[in-house]
Amino acid sequence: MEMQRFEKWVVNGPLWSGLLRVYYLPRLFRLVDTPLVGASGLELGCGQGITTEEILKRFPMLRLTALDYDPDQVARAQERVTHFSDRISIHQGDATALSFPDDHWDVIFACNLFHHMREYRRALAEAARVLKPTGRLYVMDFDRRFFNPILRKLFPPEVLFTREEFIQDVHKAGLHVERSV
């Protein structure tokens, strides 16, 4: 699903960029227990490339492919990370129908993606399919508690789930949760 105009304006603005860099991404990166040296990574839902840029900074030996459904966001991301051109490839794509072979990626990042997708369980299954058997999926997303009535109006999610429901769906996709914050 493409974001509504107001939501896109907010997530492309400086407040959201700051929150991602200072609060949300450091929490996610604490879960990564390996330096990802020589690893191949996939980012689902790269948006304007803030998370892409931070992933590339944090893991300097990672080669990354980033996808987003929205072509406008893909263009923004490509502009943002041109200085990493030797380690990044950004494309328009659908997380529910990935064009990669089975057991392909060492690591997948998905930041604030799944609440935008009515078919998020298919995207989880696709992530499980393209991850190597020893691969890791790192997810950061907002659950039902985040979307109070005001936020539901301003930023309507495609789907709402609790943390527990999401973890169950991760297990159903054939993955398991080692740690969460």
Side-chain angles (χ1 to χ4, degrees), residues 59-176:
F59 307 104
M61 302 302 287
L62 176 69
R63 296 190 60 77
L64 187 66
T65 296
L67 300 178
D68 199 277
Y69 187 78
D70 184 331
D72 294 335
Q73 295 295 77
V74 169
R76 287 175 183 262
Q78 288 170 332
E79 287 178 27
R80 177 177 296 279
V81 298
T82 56
H83 53 289
F84 292 107
S85 63
D86 60 326
R87 306 192 286 125
I88 181 68
S89 174
I90 302 176
H91 308 278
Q92 193 276 331
D94 182 349
T96 65
L98 297 172
S99 61
F100 306 107
D102 296 357
D103 305 329
H104 187 75
W105 300 103
D106 297 303
V107 62
I108 297 176
F109 292 93
C111 300
N112 298 321
L113 167 72
F114 294 110
H115 72 270
H116 289 288
M117 306 176 68
R118 187 172 297 129
E119 303 274 341
Y120 81 93
R121 290 176 186 94
R122 277 185 40 201
L124 282 171
E126 277 291 276
R129 180 185 67 77
V130 300
L131 265 176
K132 291 179 180 177
T134 58
R136 302 282 178 103
L137 170 65
Y138 295 100
V139 175
M140 173 183 74
D141 213 320
F142 297 120
D143 69 7
R144 181 182 307 272
R145 292 174 300 161
F146 177 81
F147 289 102
N148 63 46
I150 293 169
L151 289 178
R152 283 185 196 179
K153 289 262 191 228
L154 292 173
F155 310 104
E158 192 70 22
V159 65
L160 291 172
F161 42 74
T162 66
R163 178 185 178 133
E164 294 75 23
E165 289 167 339
F166 188 80
I167 289 172
Q168 287 175 358
D169 289 331
V170 167
H171 288 284
K172 288 176 186 173
L175 302 166
H176 71 279

